Amino acid sequence: MGPSEKYEIYVNVLSGQATQREAAERFQVDRSVVVHACRVAKQGALDALAASVPGRRATTKSAEQRQLEEAQAEIERLRAT
């Protein structure tokens, strides 16, 4: 099952077009696949929203990269003192 199919399952369940059981039957997969796809999609959306900063352009840097750069700048600042 490809990512687009998993996304379609998630959208169907999220929008109320189908229950988890109905989506599993429609896509001919086990209900656990539907539950997992919905959980992963929700977490991915939450992670993306947490990383976004309103009013700024999206950067290609991950949250971990930004934290690393901030930590390195702090180390340099402390060394200078």
Side-chain angles (χ1 to χ4, degrees), residues 13-26:
V13 173
L14 181 68
S15 65
Q17 295 175 2
T19 64
Q20 291 178 348
R21 188 183 75 222
E22 291 168 345
E25 290 172 1
R26 186 178 304 156

Side-chain angles (χ1 to χ4, degrees), residues 13-78:
V13 173
L14 181 68
S15 65
Q17 295 175 2
T19 64
Q20 291 178 348
R21 188 183 75 222
E22 291 168 345
E25 290 172 1
R26 186 178 304 156
F27 288 89
Q28 298 177 346
V29 295
D30 188 71
R31 190 174 156 271
S32 64
V33 172
V34 174
V35 171
H36 182 71
C38 289
R39 185 177 298 132
V40 170
K42 179 181 177 183
Q43 189 59 50
L46 290 172
D47 291 345
L49 290 169
S52 71
V53 178
R56 295 190 180 179
R57 287 187 170 194
T59 62
T60 57
K61 293 181 184 178
S62 70
E64 290 176 353
Q65 288 174 324
R66 286 191 299 272
Q67 288 176 340
L68 179 60
E69 289 174 358
E70 290 171 4
Q72 289 171 338
E74 179 68 10
I75 289 169
E76 289 304 315
R77 186 186 70 77
L78 292 171

